[in-house]
């Protein structure tokens, strides 16, 4: 199935009609972001220590001297190989690998992984991630152990949680999804409202190729056929 074919005049008219809705959507997004900036904040335990590359690291040190911290959580399937780790988390973190613009605004970016540091450190190295990873394995602290994307503000020696989101809120980390939304067939997922006959993939296998999360194929030695991990 394909879209209807029309002349350019008709196409421009239809595009202009959609553009009006897109601009309204953008303005509503701006309004939501403004409301987000006005949310109250709640204090979290600043004495919490997580395990990172340098060993146990206090929450205040994770800010790396900046006033704000943005964290993305990564699931971990303990004892499993690289190919069996969370496909959604892999896609999310892979789609965001350079925090330079965040840092320029005083925001440190870090990944908090649910597994033991010694177990996931080789995975971080394999994927080539540059952002610091810390283990929240065994940590049960409100504002630290919950939430999938969480933001914090440091005020002196105190730390406050300002926002968190999960589910599709995490798509903000995945520009590939927004780009797919611009294509004629979209994400090809069953939940999408697409015309009858549009291609759909009920398995969401765009996350997976030949048994591995798709981003891992950029890291494999072709000679290994992906068997090493």
């Amino acid at each position: 199935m394909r879209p209807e074919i029309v002349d350019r005049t008709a196409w421009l008219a239809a595009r202009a009609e959609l553009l009006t809705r897109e601009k309204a959507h953008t303005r509503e997004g701006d309004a939501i972001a403004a409301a987000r900036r006005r949310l109250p904040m709640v204090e979290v335990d600043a004495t919490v220590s997580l395990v990172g590359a340098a060993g146990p690291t206090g929450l205040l040190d994770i800010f790396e001297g900046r006033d704000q911290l943005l964290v993305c959580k990564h699931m971990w399937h303990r004892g499993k190989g690289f190919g069996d780790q969370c496909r959604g988390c892999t896609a999310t973190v892979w789609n965001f690998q350079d925090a330079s613009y965040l840092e320029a605004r005083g925001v440190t970016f870090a990944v908090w992984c649910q597994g033991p540091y010694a177990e996931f450190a080789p995975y971080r190295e394999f994927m080539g991630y540059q952002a610091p990873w810390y283990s929240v394995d065994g940590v049960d602290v409100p504002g630290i152990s919950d939430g999938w994307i969480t933001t914090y503000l440091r005020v002196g020696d105190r730390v406050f949680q300002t926002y968190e989101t999960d589910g599709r809120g995490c798509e903000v980390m995945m520009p590939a999804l927004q780009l797919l939304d611009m294509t004629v067939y979209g994400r090809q997922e069953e939940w999408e409202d697409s015309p009858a006959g549009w291609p759909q993939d009920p398995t969401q296998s765009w996350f997976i190729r030949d048994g591995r999360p798709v981003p891992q194929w950029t890291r494999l030695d072709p000679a290994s056929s992906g068997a090493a991990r």
Side-chain angles (χ1 to χ4, degrees), residues 68-218:
Q68 298 183 76
L69 172 66
L70 188 152
V71 168
C72 178
K73 188 171 291 180
H74 197 296
M75 293 175 62
W76 188 256
H77 300 308
R78 191 185 295 260
K80 299 292 186 179
F82 292 177
D84 293 321
Q85 295 305 323
C86 177
R87 59 188 186 179
C89 295
T90 301
T92 300
V93 177
W94 181 259
N95 269 262
F96 182 80
Q97 297 196 56
D98 190 331
S100 298
Y101 282 98
L102 295 181
E103 293 171 355
R105 284 292 183 265
V107 181
T108 296
F109 175 76
V111 175
W112 287 356
C113 186
Q114 293 181 323
Y117 187 86
E119 188 169 317
F120 67 69
Y123 181 76
R124 174 179 176 267
E125 181 178 2
F126 166 72
M127 293 300 297
Y129 294 136
Q130 299 301 307
W133 282 44
Y134 298 92
S135 173
V136 291
D137 183 43
V139 176
D140 185 12
V141 177
I144 301 295
S145 53
D146 46 4
W148 288 93
I149 292 180
T150 310
T151 60
Y152 303 92
L153 177 67
R154 180 175 62 86
V155 182
D157 291 335
R158 302 172 70 187
V159 175
F160 299 86
Q161 180 183 4
T162 60
Y163 181 72
E164 72 174 22
T165 189
D166 57 15
R168 291 193 62 194
C170 297
E171 290 180 0
V172 68
M173 294 270 296
M174 303 175 70
L177 294 183
Q178 282 73 55
L179 292 173
L180 282 173
D181 285 341
M182 294 181 177
T183 66
V184 66
Y185 292 140
R187 306 181 191 189
Q188 301 179 35
E189 296 184 21
E190 284 190 308
W191 62 266
E192 286 183 292
D193 181 4
S194 295
W198 250 233
Q200 292 182 335
D201 181 1
T203 67
Q204 295 187 16
S205 63
W206 65 271
F207 275 118
I208 296 288
R209 180 161 66 86
D210 296 336
R212 281 186 176 271
V214 167
Q216 292 187 7
W217 285 96
T218 65

Side-chain angles (χ1 to χ4, degrees), residues 36 38-42 161-163:
R36 190 180 294 120
R38 289 165 172 80
L39 281 174
M41 61 185 183
V42 59
Q161 180 183 4
T162 60
Y163 181 72

